[in-house]
Structure formats: C-alpha cells, structure tokens
Amino acid sequence: MRCTSEVYAVLLAAGLGTRMGQNKLALRFQGKTPLRLCYEAFLRSQCPPKGIVIAVSEQTRSEALALAAEDARVWVAQGGATRGASVCNALRALQTRGIKEGVVAIHDAARCLVPPAVIDAAVRGAQQNGCGVAAIPVRDTVRTQAGELFPREERLLMQTPQAFEFKRILSAYEAAEAGGLNETDDCAVYMAAGYAPHFTEGSIMNQKLTSPEDLPFFHAACAAQRLQRIGFGEDTHALVPGRRLVLGGVEIPYEKGLLGHSDADVLVHAVIDALLGAAALGDIGTHFPDAEERYRGISSLVLLRETAALLRENGFLLGNVDATIVAQKPKLVPYIATMRSNLAQCLGVDASEVSVKATTSEGMNDEGAGKCMTARAVCTLIKNG
Ligand code: MG
C-alpha cells in the first residue's frame, strides 16, 4: 500500500462507559489497556500516523500522558461533553499543531481489537475517495420492536476507524457545531456537510467493548492475537557405522547411526531448538552443553522433557510442532507414528499437535550421499498470561 498522504489518528478515550459499570478503559487485556492496544494497532498499520491525538476524560488523562511521554507522536486533547465535541477538540488540536492536509482516522478506543488491516482499508479509502468508513454487513435478521422486518442486504453496521481528508472533516465538524454535535459517528457529520460516504471493510473482530458480557471475548481474542510466537530449529549429525540410529526416541534398525555426545537424536534436537527459539531462551547447546559428562549417551527425550518444563516455568504453552527429517535411507515411514507420540508425551500435548515428516534429498547433498541426517522444525508457543 502506498502512503500517498500523511496520516493522523484521533483516539477517543473520553466516554463514560456507563454500561460496563466501571471505567472500561482502565481494564487490561493481556496486561494492556484498550488505549495501548489501539495505539499499537495504529503503529502496525501500513501508513503509521505522524501524530496521534488522544481525547481524554479525567479518568484517562494520566494514561494518555504516559503514552505521550513515551512517544513524541502522541498528543493529548481534552474530551468534550459529547463524542462529537471530543472529535472537534481533537481535530482543532491537530490544526493547532500546524496540520492542514492529509488524512485523519478517527477511532473509538473501546474498539481495541481493531485489526491493522481494517485501519489500512479505511485510510486507503480516504486517500482515494476522501473518506473510508469501516463497516460490516448485518449477519442477523433485523426487526423493529413491533416486529417489522428490515431487509438486511441494504444495511451496514458502522464501526471505526472512520478516515477522512483532514480539511473536509474539520470543516464538516465546524459546520455541525451549532447543532450540538450529537451525532454518534463521524460519517453522519461528513454526510451532513454534503459529502458522499465510502465504506471500507470492517471486521467482526472489531467489536466495541461495552458491557461485562463482552469481557470473555476480549480476553480470549487478545490472548489468541497477541501472544503466539514462532520458533525454528535445525540440526545435522554425521551418519557413521557402530552407532545406534535413534530418531524421535525410536531406535531404528540400520547399519549406521548418528554420531554425537548424547544419543544424537537429530529430530529431537531440532525440535528443542525450535521451542527454545520461540521462547527466545537460547539454544540446546546453552542448556545441555555437550562437554558435560551427564549428557553422554543420554536419551534426547529427557532433554525434550526438561525443555518443556522450562517453557512452562516461563509461562509458555505449546501450540504445535512440525518437523521434517532429511535422510536418504532407511525408510522412516513405519516409525513416524511412534516418533509423534514420543514427542507429544514429552511435551504434554496430544499427538495431533505434533507433526513429523521424512524426505530424501533425491540423492543430493551429504544427506543424499548417506553421510549425515538433517532435521528441521518449526513450532508455535502461546504465552500463558
Ligand atoms: Mg544435535
């Protein structure tokens, strides 16, 4: 996406949130407030804002000031008596900073699960059409209290961000001020000034934190979105006569085996390195140095079990593992199921979370010449709290 104009953001954090029964913007999801989650989503968008104005109430002022102290692009504006008055104050704060042009994306801080792609679509809409309003189609059948049916095909649910050419939305808000600024979204103010709306793709994830019933959804969504980590591991061992061949804890009858200080289980070593890598906890060599006598000939499954315990101590849960062994011979297919169940048992997960595959290198490289075996693994970890 090309950023054809400068982008600014307005985050609205001045609402009272009466339906939550407490200050909803002080809640934390995976340790982060709604305001910080929104701020981070905007920074991850394709055209990160040059300036972010946070419209605050007395309750949210100190957090906004802390963000502003951290990042010079964050400015704080006093919120108003209505949502519209808060937007108006924030737009004037941008104007006071000398901003005359570009695009401004106005966003409710209570929509703190906003995917960066939704921000991108709204900003692109404003760059191309003067306005980009995040909206989603209606999924449910809609009736009035009296039972009258609305054709849902013609309806859209408005979300935020709603992005506009700065000049247009500022003049639209100034024109609307006399009417009391009671509109519940910016699109209404923009349309009242005679402009046509342009809707962009919102997301069902982009819900507005409103009532206590929303909390399980917000906690689960944050846990799923924010804290998955990926890891990669690779290992190679020489294939020599006079050694046992152990892969994934399975002893495989073959004329040669892998050379190493432990049982040289190349598959398990790659998996251990992927796990430690995902947690950024170093590598197999730092945790189980091959100079140490106690690791001589040890089953690598023991090391895998210790690695799993270390991850748990550091608050990580295993998502899944996928590994490939590169070996010319012997045929490994008959042993794959046992390898998977050995790994799964050590990791304390179901075998369906552990994938092991084998391939030859078609006779090429040292693996193809039967000089060595290589294993590669990726895994995901989930940070638990
Ligand atoms: Mg190794």
Side-chain angles (χ1 to χ4, degrees):
M1 174 179 167
R2 276 183 54 229
C3 303
T4 53
S5 52
E6 299 209 322
V7 176
Y8 300 90
V10 167
L11 294 180
L12 298 170
L16 290 172
T18 48
R19 281 171 285 181
M20 186 59 76
Q22 59 177 312
N23 175 18
K24 64 184 177 182
L25 295 182
L27 294 170
R28 284 176 188 270
F29 303 97
Q30 300 290 327
K32 294 179 183 176
T33 62
L35 198 50
R36 181 168 287 275
L37 291 169
C38 291
Y39 162 78
E40 290 180 357
F42 271 88
L43 291 194
R44 295 208 316 276
S45 65
Q46 289 187 19
C47 301
K50 298 260 180 217
I52 301 172
V53 181
I54 306 175
V56 299
S57 64
E58 286 320 304
Q59 290 173 311
T60 52
R61 174 179 296 278
S62 63
E63 197 205 344
L65 287 173
L67 265 180
E70 237 178 72
D71 184 340
R73 289 168 297 184
V74 175
W75 311 322
V76 177
Q78 182 58 48
T82 63
R83 183 189 183 281
S86 294
V87 175
C88 222
N89 289 354
L91 294 175
R92 288 223 173 87
L94 285 169
Q95 193 185 29
T96 308
R97 296 247 170 189
I99 285 120
K100 297 188 184 80
E101 313 241 309
V103 160
V104 59
I106 303 167
H107 186 64
D108 293 324
R111 291 191 193 270
C112 57
L113 300 177
V114 61
V118 169
I119 299 172
D120 294 338
V123 166
R124 198 181 307 123
Q127 286 176 339
Q128 293 171 355
N129 305 286
C131 145
V133 174
I136 56 170
V138 178
R139 288 181 164 189
D140 305 314
T141 299
V142 183
R143 292 181 200 277
T144 63
Q145 295 267 13
E148 189 195 344
L149 206 56
F150 278 107
R152 69 177 168 201
E153 293 73 19
E154 293 169 20
R155 316 275 153 178
L156 288 172
L157 300 174
M158 298 298 111
Q159 298 186 332
T160 66
Q162 302 192 354
F164 307 88
E165 268 182 26
F166 179 70
K167 270 191 225 166
R168 286 190 186 181
I169 196 69
L170 178 65
S171 64
Y173 262 100
E174 283 175 342
E177 253 184 322
L181 295 172
N182 291 313
E183 294 82 357
T184 55
D185 80 345
D186 314 292
C187 184
V189 175
Y190 185 74
M191 288 173 66
Y195 296 113
H198 174 81
F199 300 109
T200 56
E201 201 169 333
S203 166
I204 193 74
M205 287 302 293
N206 189 20
Q207 296 297 312
K208 193 173 190 177
L209 179 60
T210 305
S211 75
E213 281 179 338
D214 296 333
L215 293 176
F217 172 75
F218 275 72
H219 283 296
C222 277
Q225 269 181 19
R226 307 270 164 191
L227 291 150
Q228 243 198 44
R229 298 173 63 117
I230 190 164
F232 172 72
E234 173 166 344
D235 198 19
T236 299
H237 281 260
L239 200 52
V240 296
R243 288 273 303 180
R244 297 183 306 141
L245 175 61
V246 181
L247 291 170
V250 184
E251 186 160 344
I252 297 165
Y254 188 49
E255 66 208 34
K256 293 190 266 185
L258 295 171
L259 185 62
H261 183 66
S262 64
D263 63 356
D265 190 326
V266 71
L267 169 64
V268 173
H269 293 185
V271 170
I272 289 173
D273 257 3
L275 295 166
L276 293 171
L281 284 172
D283 62 16
I284 189 168
T286 49
H287 290 275
F288 313 107
D290 61 12
E292 281 197 40
E293 201 47 39
R294 66 193 165 114
Y295 296 127
R296 180 178 298 282
I298 197 171
S299 164
S300 295
L301 291 181
V302 174
L303 310 183
L304 182 61
R305 222 173 259 123
E306 284 189 33
T307 304
L310 180 72
L311 294 178
R312 279 194 295 274
E313 274 167 39
N314 282 274
F316 291 101
L317 297 172
L318 181 74
N320 71 307
V321 176
D322 181 24
T324 296
I325 305 164
V326 186
Q328 196 61 32
K329 276 190 202 167
K331 275 261 168 271
L332 298 177
V333 174
Y335 310 104
I336 295 280
T338 315
M339 291 182 201
R340 287 178 61 197
S341 88
N342 285 348
L343 297 183
Q345 210 169 52
C346 293
L347 294 168
V349 297
D350 194 77
S352 63
E353 304 297 343
V354 179
S355 157
V356 175
K357 314 183 296 303
T359 184
T360 71
S361 58
E362 302 274 345
M364 290 180 286
N365 307 330
D366 288 343
E367 291 87 350
K371 289 187 191 167
C372 64
M373 289 185 182
T374 289
R376 299 187 180 95
V378 289
C379 72
T380 54
L381 294 183
I382 296 151
K383 180 88 177 168
N384 183 23

